[in-house]
Amino acid sequence: MVKVTYYLEVISSWCYWAEPAWAELKKRYAGGSVQFDWKIALMDETGLPVSREQCEWFYRRSGTIVRSPFMLNSGWYEQGVKQYAACNFVAEAAKDLGVVDDRVRLAIAEAALRHGKKVHACEAAVEIAAKAVNLDPVELKQKAQSAEIEQRCRATTAEFYSFQVTQRPTFVIQNEIGDRAILSGVWAAAPIAAVIDAQLGDEAAYKAWAVHVGSAPTN
């Protein structure tokens, strides 16, 4: 078993561009040999644009790099907001209400980055999420505003920084024999798939070795 953990910020444009790769990888390895999970890695003000104009400059750059036929929408940007925690908390809270896949965070990202919807307030993010997956908005808001969800998101953000990376998306790929690779800032499927295949191959080799040779001597 190889585990792939995707560290993301819901409103990160590069995470948005990485979503097709994430979907492709989950489809490619749907047989069960690879486990996929995502965790929140909150951005602080050092990772956010300082103005809507700067945000649009970033979007022109990334959109050109990924060869997107459309430009992202900067309308979500709110001057003076130093962290968009609420929308991330909503995405995380949905897990506790049974929505453990990507739908809630994708709905929020789509509303913000494609349609310019303001998602910095919990109420706005809850409305988008609840409609997307048919959740009770009152229950979702209560869960999103709980200390438990904030602590979990802060903890996974600290975990993200423990890898000494700063770019979102970051993918941590690890197998059962202890191999670990960290791909930070990668948004395409091919390099991630190459690491997954290598780690699956190494696992298989270890199993073959165990069959033919057995356990290592203890003395």
Side-chain angles (χ1 to χ4, degrees):
M1 175 67 69
V2 169
K3 181 174 182 180
V4 183
T5 305
Y6 169 22
Y7 289 86
L8 61 93
E9 155 75 48
V10 169
I11 58 161
S12 162
S13 57
W14 278 111
C15 290
Y16 183 88
W17 296 130
E19 292 302 337
W22 181 244
E24 178 184 336
L25 292 166
K26 291 174 73 175
K27 182 177 180 180
R28 184 185 302 189
Y29 298 100
S33 59
V34 182
Q35 177 184 348
F36 293 91
D37 188 24
W38 59 267
K39 295 183 178 181
I40 296 296
L42 294 166
M43 288 193 297
D44 59 22
E45 60 184 316
T46 63
L48 292 169
V50 299
S51 66
R52 187 166 176 177
E53 289 73 24
Q54 188 186 64
C55 182
E56 291 175 352
W57 185 91
F58 287 144
Y59 286 172
R60 286 192 290 272
R61 180 180 65 177
S62 67
T64 302
I65 290 169
V66 305
R67 295 169 173 79
S68 172
F70 59 85
M71 182 172 161
L72 297 181
N73 192 323
S74 65
W76 61 269
Y77 179 79
E78 189 74 11
Q79 191 74 42
V81 175
K82 296 182 178 181
Q83 190 169 65
Y84 289 76
C87 56
N88 287 277
F89 294 169
V90 170
E92 183 67 27
K95 290 182 176 180
D96 286 7
L97 300 181
V99 185
V100 297
D101 56 23
D102 305 313
R103 288 175 295 160
V104 166
R105 61 179 187 78
L106 288 179
I108 296 170
E110 188 76 8
L113 299 174
R114 286 301 308 277
H115 304 291
K117 300 293 186 183
K118 302 287 189 182
V119 296
H120 63 283
C122 184
E123 292 79 6
V126 164
E127 181 181 0
I128 294 163
K131 286 181 179 178
V133 295
N134 196 29
L135 286 175
D136 178 358
V138 175
E139 186 179 13
L140 179 58
K141 181 180 177 182
Q142 183 178 28
K143 175 62 70 171
Q145 292 181 325
S146 68
E148 173 192 6
I149 292 299
E150 178 169 4
Q151 289 167 5
R152 191 190 305 169
C153 290
R154 302 280 180 202
T156 55
T157 301
E159 189 175 287
F160 164 79
Y161 282 118
S162 75
F163 299 122
Q164 299 185 344
V165 296
T166 59
Q167 300 301 314
R168 301 157 185 83
T170 284
F171 299 91
V172 178
I173 307 148
Q174 186 164 342
N175 64 14
E176 291 180 346
I177 61 175
D179 298 335
R180 176 191 283 178
I182 300 171
L183 301 180
S184 184
V186 170
W187 58 272
I192 305 170
V195 174
I196 292 173
D197 290 342
Q199 291 196 3
L200 287 171
D202 286 345
E203 275 191 357
Y206 266 59
K207 290 175 182 176
W209 171 266
V211 169
H212 290 281
V213 181
S215 301
T218 57
N219 54 40

